Amino acid sequence: MDNVERIIKHRLKVISCSYDIKGVVTQELDCDTIAKYYRASDLFYRLVHSRLGRSIHMGLSDDGKFHMKDFFKQAEYVARNFSEDTRNVLEIGAGMCMNTDYLARKYPDIDFVALDLPNRNFLKMKVPRNVMLVEGDYNNLSDFYGKFDLIYAVETLAHTENKSRVILELYKALKSGGKLIIFDYYNVLPFRKMKKYEKCAYALTMSAMKTPYRGQQIDKFVKDLKDAGFTMVNVENLTEKIRPSVKKLERCAKIYFQRPVLKILQKLIVEDATMNGITGYLMDLVFDGKRIGQYNRIVAVKL
Ligand SMILES: C[S@@+](CC[C@H](N)C(=O)[O-])C[C@H]1O[C@@H](n2cnc3c(N)ncnc32)[C@H](O)[C@@H]1O
């Protein structure tokens, strides 16, 4: 048994003392459950994760250390893909609109649409005038077919198991020549090929943040994109860039799983929010970038 395997097994044991592991990985993950999870986790994301900011995604760090500016790297990458002809841009699963807000201020001549589930007064969010806020489910983008030059998604498609369905919607919502940019969590090995403890750790890491552990395999995702008609599909493994953000969460999770803290928090905070501790405790080990989990940037073009 190598050291990583030993630590993962130990942490699974610690988690099992406080949570029903089977219950966590078999929970229903429909849109209502996801919306409820984000309401419950709001304080956690604001105070612990983004330090009073609006980020609900990982920072991308270039020097092995976390800096607040790392939360803007996904949006900066999206901006590098704008051209003189870019007029209409959609962000799906926009969350607190941190990415869209940043881009809309920098590019006042581009019209942005930010879409998220009806939740947390999404339509009342303060955004620049060139942003239209839309409540909806990205599994149905029929109001927007053929409208966008670019669509981007930061850590949101992981919430859906049926990727081919969303990919078709995204394809239809893009204009010919339009670009799709995705930042998200995937598994490398097909789930069935993982070892038992890897399956358990991966399934828990994903399920605790209300993302299904099935339907996330990167090669299958690329195939689905190509089957839908996307070309020039490019995958970049950015796992090491999220490492400092992941380590930050791991430090909190280690404190959380020290029993006295856990007992107090479990009494005060709803379980949907405390479960983020499970993801934080396992993620650094599960997202190894090679065998189990990977954080990828995917770019594809509709011809
Ligand atoms: C991890 S947050 C990321 C938010 C934002 N992209 C960011 O980078 O800060 C995921 C977001 O996806 C949204 N989401 C999940 N499933 C969705 C769906 N089917 N349709 C629209 N939004 C969805 C959630 O409500 C949540 O706000």
Side-chain angles (χ1 to χ4, degrees):
M1 197 192 299
D2 68 17
N3 204 29
V4 172
E5 179 176 350
R6 203 176 358 259
I7 302 171
I8 290 180
K9 285 182 171 168
H10 166 73
R11 291 192 184 179
L12 289 175
K13 214 166 166 182
V14 172
I15 292 166
S16 72
C17 294
S18 309
Y19 291 93
D20 164 20
I21 288 186
K22 200 164 171 212
V24 176
V25 299
T26 55
Q27 60 189 314
E28 185 77 27
L29 294 179
D30 55 20
C31 286
D32 286 344
T33 315
I34 293 166
K36 189 167 149 270
Y37 160 76
Y38 280 103
R39 283 197 300 280
S41 301
D42 211 23
L43 208 61
F44 161 77
Y45 279 114
R46 280 174 202 264
L47 296 183
V48 182
H49 178 67
S50 73
R51 297 178 183 165
L52 300 181
R54 289 158 73 176
S55 170
I56 321 182
H57 59 263
M58 297 293 178
L60 295 178
S61 307
D62 295 313
D63 60 357
K65 289 188 206 114
F66 173 79
H67 310 275
M68 287 302 277
K69 67 176 172 32
D70 297 339
F71 281 137
F72 294 98
K73 297 274 176 64
Q74 286 90 341
E76 282 167 3
Y77 180 82
V78 169
R80 289 203 287 282
N81 283 272
F82 291 162
S83 72
E84 276 178 6
D85 299 329
T86 305
R87 291 281 166 271
N88 295 288
V89 172
L90 166 68
E91 178 178 14
I92 54 164
M96 305 286 285
C97 284
M98 183 175 187
N99 305 309
T100 294
D101 184 83
Y102 175 83
L103 290 170
R105 282 174 204 279
K106 258 186 131 169
Y107 298 89
D109 295 337
I110 296 180
D111 290 327
F112 292 84
V113 174
L115 176 131
D116 207 299
L117 297 171
N119 202 15
R120 296 174 293 174
N121 288 322
F122 182 71
L123 297 180
K124 292 201 176 139
M125 198 109 45
K126 274 215 168 76
V127 282
R129 289 158 64 110
N130 53 332
V131 178
M132 182 166 93
L133 296 170
V134 175
E135 283 186 338
D137 177 351
Y138 51 56
N139 287 287
N140 178 0
L141 296 174
S142 55
D143 288 348
F144 301 108
Y145 288 168
K147 185 170 165 53
F148 297 105
D149 303 294
L150 190 149
I151 301 178
Y152 68 99
V154 181
E155 299 176 32
T156 185
L157 285 181
H159 282 296
T160 187
E161 189 175 334
N162 188 351
K163 298 280 197 286
S164 49
R165 176 172 156 184
V166 186
I167 286 171
L168 275 180
E169 287 300 292
L170 295 168
Y171 189 84
K172 288 183 195 166
L174 279 169
K175 295 178 191 165
S176 293
K179 212 174 235 188
L180 175 65
I181 301 177
I182 296 163
F183 293 84
D184 228 322
Y185 306 101
Y186 295 88
N187 53 293
V188 186
L189 273 184
F191 188 72
R192 65 178 189 288
K193 289 198 176 162
M194 290 181 198
K195 293 179 183 163
K196 198 172 162 202
Y197 77 92
E198 292 173 331
K199 280 184 183 165
C200 185
Y202 179 72
L204 262 180
T205 306
M206 297 300 282
S207 307
M209 54 177 176
K210 302 290 183 273
T211 50
Y213 61 89
R214 293 197 183 273
Q216 315 281 10
Q217 210 255 329
I218 185 61
D219 293 343
K220 167 77 168 64
F221 187 71
V222 169
K223 183 179 178 308
D224 286 347
L225 285 169
K226 290 180 179 166
D227 287 352
F230 280 103
T231 57
M232 296 191 267
V233 180
N234 181 272
V235 178
E236 193 97 13
N237 177 358
L238 302 183
T239 314
E240 286 317 307
K241 291 192 186 289
I242 65 162
R243 186 80 52 213
S245 294
V246 172
K247 289 266 186 211
K248 189 161 64 82
L249 296 178
E250 186 188 48
R251 283 193 289 277
C252 298
K254 278 182 176 167
I255 298 169
Y256 173 65
F257 277 105
Q258 283 166 6
R259 281 220 142 260
V261 177
L262 180 67
K263 281 255 160 64
I264 298 164
L265 288 184
Q266 276 192 325
K267 280 207 179 96
L268 295 176
I269 303 172
V270 291
E271 194 170 69
D272 267 358
T274 68
M275 269 196 223
N276 288 305
I278 299 179
T279 303
Y281 203 36
L282 294 172
M283 198 168 202
D284 185 45
L285 302 157
V286 166
F287 278 76
D288 57 1
K290 291 182 279 230
R291 189 184 149 81
I292 317 178
Q294 220 170 50
Y295 186 87
N296 290 323
R297 180 181 66 214
I298 298 151
V299 181
V301 175
K302 171 176 174 173
L303 274 190

